[in-house]
Amino acid sequence: MSTADDGFRPLDENSLVEYIKATPSLLAKLGGAVDNLIIKEVGDGNLNFVYIVVAPAGSLVIKQALPYIRCIGESWPMTKERAYFEATALRAHGRLCPAHVPEVYHFDRSMSLIGMRYLEPPHIILRKGLIAGVEYPLLAEHMAEYMSKTLFYTSLLYTTTTEHKRAVAEFCGNVELCRLTEQVVFSDPYKVSQYNRWTSPYLDRDAEAVREDNVLKLEVAQLKSMFCERAQALIHGDLHTGSVMVTQESTQVIDPEFAFYGPMGFDIGAFLGNLILAFFAQAGHANEGNDRKAYKKWILRTIEETWNLFYKKFVALWNENKDGPGEAYLPPIYNHSEVLQLVQTKYMENLLHDSLGFGAAKMIRRIVGVAHVEDFESISDASKRAECERKALNFAKMLMKERRKFTSVTEVVSAIQEVDS
Amino acid sequence: MSTADDGFRPLDENSLVEYIKATPSLLAKLGGAVDNLIIKEVGDGNLNFVYIVVAPAGSLVIKQALPYIRCIGESWPMTKERAYFEATALRAHGRLCPAHVPEVYHFDRSMSLIGMRYLEPPHIILRKGLIAGVEYPLLAEHMAEYMSKTLFYTSLLYTTTTEHKRAVAEFCGNVELCRLTEQVVFSDPYKVSQYNRWTSPYLDRDAEAVREDNVLKLEVAQLKSMFCERAQALIHGDLHTGSVMVTQESTQVIDPEFAFYGPMGFDIGAFLGNLILAFFAQAGHANEGNDRKAYKKWILRTIEETWNLFYKKFVALWNENKDGPGEAYLPPIYNHSEVLQLVQTKYMENLLHDSLGFGAAKMIRRIVGVAHVEDFESISDASKRAECERKALNFAKMLMKERRKFTSVTEVVSAIQEVDS
Ligand SMILES: Nc1ncnc2c1ncn2[C@@H]1O[C@H](COP(=O)(O)OP(=O)(O)O)[C@@H](O)[C@H]1O
Ligand SMILES: Nc1ncnc2c1ncn2[C@@H]1O[C@H](COP(=O)(O)OP(=O)(O)O)[C@@H](O)[C@H]1O
Ligand SMILES: [Mg+2]
Ligand SMILES: [Mg+2]
Ligand SMILES: [Mg+2]
Ligand SMILES: [Mg+2]
Ligand SMILES: [Mg+2]
């Protein structure tokens, strides 16, 4: 357990205890003592190490980034500086929306280590709840709240150009994680890549069709450019249903290590796209006891409500702050109801289209790219799995190409139902 | 002549000589001696001080930024760090296109001082040549060369994400100049502002109409967002016809102090928009000896050729570099002639629309905003001037609103001719 030149050393369960003992802000969260600790490494994450630490008088989570991608190994190096951007984003988003972001207790840059609130049971990863068929009545409301606040307040609708450019410059440093997204979301699925996989042989022809679809490739190129070029807000960058922990009353967004100033639609689309994946996976989870029909309706309602509540909350923040520090729409030009409504309607229409495009890209990559989702992976019958995946894939292809024709989320939900019937 | 804490002191013609004497790289350009110097401050710039220094054995230009806007005075402070971004952009663009960018001999950051090649007579500012009715047969070719090289090579079509984000972050530092553009191009013309002026009383109603045009305000908001958010390439940032010096054989682009990573269309539009202004000003310069009819045709030809040659050169660079370091369009996905042509056509169509939108914004602000152009200002008869300006303004308003309907520059030229007839 030697210390590297830069002060970094990977922790294990033993050295972790020593680390906590030596770190007052962490020790305090455990009530000041490290006796009778229960430490569990929860290895369901893809990139990092996460330790749950429970003491008789308190608890916390320690997340450490190692200089490679955990699920692939040392052969795929990845800067551990991602922990810095994760901590910075957790704090920034936590300030804006404390109800839905776990508190950061401690950050150690040289150790790439974050100490944060332990989201205690019954919190589970949303994706697992969706697979189990559990309804979360507050999910849409909470996610709309989280996305509207984090995106609105970090955009030029609220921040000054000066602060915006300062923050954009800082998050340009998270370039390695941006590059990873560029590769696995916007590139690999559209070419032959050693990392791609799909439910073979069932989807062989479908995967090939993605690689040969010129119109799809045109659309994904434009989405990729937007991802690379457009610094619209401080986005989470990885907002799938595996980055959300839930109970019936609580919704908590974790894991923003991909955060940077990018297009808002990338976050909204990630969440909605993963709900659509969950929808198409339901047929694979149905059994005699539960045909999942009611649950599918709930997912569709959640998709619809998430966007509609997001819309309402985002525009409400805009109206509340129309005389605020934001420099995009200056009061003397835009603070008259007719023109304000005109620009807001256009802004939200564009944002819906961006979200549908990015959502579709996120769906496609989960079916024919490197990283798949448990929603489908947990369907053991490969032919049934492939059938679910094919429906989702075809819907996503249509959505990416036709996204500009949708004027409301209700039309999107209708389109999903049509494909499903 | 005291030295400030930061090492900055504003030079005058005397201290300039001492500075050159003490600076080997500058002294060498004058043949090693400062005897018999002719020094002339050329005060036609808006922001900075420019000294022409001619010795028997050589010459150079010294440009110094002071911590305010020259043409307004110390009441409008402006960071002198702009000189750093100007020097950095001159060098970057000069490396990419040495034929059309003056060589930088010396840069002193603490003095905000650039030493560069003197563009000796008969070089004149292009705007003055356009007012005088002089044709420049190589102008379109040269500007297309300059814009295609500087924009292509600094975009993600050629640079890697890693280098792109590094450079974007650096130029985020030029935020004060970006804010100035946001204000004077995208905001002030659309509201009552102490800085706005126009040919009154003739255009009083026209200026008011700009402030009351909700559709125009919707469009300019979208262009402003693109300007603030979209880091597409290292743009010059102020590419009007007053930033270009010309002879019959030579075209040199100066003054990129507004440079940052922004939308390419902002540069292309600035140049084309200012040519359109020059076109509409011709009626005010016509006299018995010269009705300017032939010259107007040449301007229209130049507009058309600039875009068409830019298109050709830009796509040629793309094709030449399609296996290069750029990460936007990866070879295994896009290097097949059918899909490559599809994405290139779309890219250039979007770029034309952006250019027309930004060009229109630059035209409007020169008629009802703070900074006007000599093309119109030199028309002494106010009613005649207003007539020219009104035509230009109405054309620009139409162009901004309808830009997405134009599929070629030829259609734009036809529309100009229609308004003019
Ligand atoms: N604050 C927390 N409270 C409880 N569990 C957590 C917390 N943070 C992470 N986890 C658990 O650890 C897993 C991996 O965490 P995550 O941040 O997603 O890591 P990775 O970046 O490797 O994907 C999560 O799926 C969740 O089960
Ligand atoms: N390299 C040069 N060679 C000759 N003249 C120059 C040169 N640079 C600037 N000038 C002259 O100085 C004027 C102001 O320069 P410019 O760089 O445009 O300053 P500003 O930033 O104040 O607008 C130009 O219009 C041109 O007449
Ligand atoms: Mg995770
Ligand atoms: Mg993660
Ligand atoms: Mg100038
Ligand atoms: Mg040169
Ligand atoms: Mg200048």
Side-chain angles (χ1 to χ4, degrees), chain B residues 42 44-48 50 63 117 119 125 245 255 257:
Chain B
V42 284
D44 72 332
N46 284 325
L47 266 69
N48 305 290
V50 176
K63 180 171 179 177
R117 179 189 154 199
L119 301 167
I125 287 290
M245 295 190 74
D255 196 14
E257 66 190 319

Side-chain angles (χ1 to χ4, degrees), chain A residues 372-403:
Chain A
H372 286 228
V373 288
E374 200 182 329
D375 309 66
F376 292 130
E377 298 299 286
S378 59
I379 302 169
S380 51
D381 177 336
S383 107
K384 190 180 262 180
R385 179 166 74 245
E387 209 183 302
C388 295
E389 290 176 319
R390 182 179 292 119
K391 274 191 186 174
L393 181 63
N394 286 337
F395 179 78
K397 286 167 65 176
M398 178 284 294
L399 193 61
M400 190 184 288
K401 292 179 194 174
E402 309 290 334
R403 64 187 186 278

Side-chain angles (χ1 to χ4, degrees), chain B residues 300-313:
Chain B
L300 293 183
R301 249 186 355 258
T302 301
I303 290 169
E304 201 164 351
E305 280 176 13
T306 299
W307 171 263
N308 286 337
L309 288 170
F310 169 80
Y311 190 118
K312 222 175 99 180
K313 287 167 186 283

Side-chain angles (χ1 to χ4, degrees), chain B residues 26-280:
Chain B
L26 295 177
L27 196 60
K29 290 290 168 186
L30 300 180
V34 293
D35 312 318
N36 302 313
L37 289 191
I38 301 170
I39 299 185
K40 207 176 117 193
E41 205 279 319
V42 284
D44 72 332
N46 284 325
L47 266 69
N48 305 290
F49 289 80
V50 176
Y51 300 90
I52 293 170
V53 182
V54 179
S59 63
L60 51 79
V61 153
I62 298 287
K63 180 171 179 177
Q64 187 176 38
L66 266 53
Y68 53 84
I69 295 180
R70 178 183 184 169
C71 66
I72 303 213
E74 307 201 20
S75 67
W76 194 328
M78 184 55 56
T79 175
K80 53 190 166 50
E81 266 292 273
R82 63 186 186 264
Y84 169 74
F85 295 103
E86 176 163 354
T88 306
L90 275 174
R91 283 172 166 155
H93 288 165
R95 248 190 317 273
L96 298 171
C97 189
H100 302 299
V101 180
E103 190 187 339
V104 174
Y105 299 148
H106 170 75
F107 175 60
D108 181 336
R109 190 163 183 174
S110 59
M111 287 288 280
S112 301
L113 182 152
I114 302 170
M116 69 181 113
R117 179 189 154 199
Y118 170 43
L119 301 167
E120 65 294 339
H123 277 102
I124 60 165
I125 287 290
L126 172 58
R127 195 186 296 287
K128 293 187 189 292
L130 294 166
I131 294 166
V134 182
E135 297 188 11
Y136 296 95
L138 300 177
L139 179 65
E141 162 79 22
H142 287 171
M143 287 304 293
E145 182 82 5
Y146 167 82
M147 293 193 296
S148 60
K149 284 186 169 160
T150 56
L151 299 177
F152 177 83
Y153 283 114
T154 60
S155 78
L156 286 164
L157 294 170
Y158 186 78
T159 44
T160 62
T161 294
T162 304
E163 169 53 17
H164 181 77
K165 287 226 192 285
R166 189 209 59 74
V168 169
E170 173 166 25
F171 277 92
C172 278
N174 205 15
V175 57
E176 279 201 43
L177 282 276
C178 291
R179 290 191 73 226
L180 182 56
T181 299
E182 286 172 38
Q183 178 181 343
V184 300
V185 177
F186 297 107
S187 297
D188 279 355
Y190 304 89
K191 68 198 238 324
V192 174
S193 160
Q194 55 167 318
Y195 299 109
N196 289 343
R197 55 188 193 82
W198 53 82
T199 302
S200 185
Y202 306 96
L203 298 186
D204 287 359
R205 182 63 206 113
D206 301 81
E208 198 186 347
V210 167
R211 296 193 301 268
E212 287 173 355
D213 190 330
N214 286 349
V215 176
L216 199 67
K217 285 154 82 166
L218 170 67
E219 293 298 343
V220 84
Q222 292 180 64
L223 291 163
K224 183 180 177 183
S225 290
M226 204 196 297
F227 180 81
C228 295
E229 294 172 352
R230 185 168 183 199
Q232 193 179 18
L234 178 58
I235 66 174
H236 177 285
D238 197 23
L239 195 52
H240 55 80
T241 51
S243 295
V244 181
M245 295 190 74
V246 287
T247 69
Q248 287 298 305
E249 296 83 31
S250 165
T251 306
Q252 302 292 327
V253 178
I254 61 170
D255 196 14
E257 66 190 319
F258 286 81
F260 77 115
Y261 275 76
M264 295 178 180
F266 192 75
D267 272 5
I268 304 165
F271 186 68
L272 296 181
N274 275 271
L275 286 180
I276 302 175
L277 290 179
F279 175 89
F280 283 111

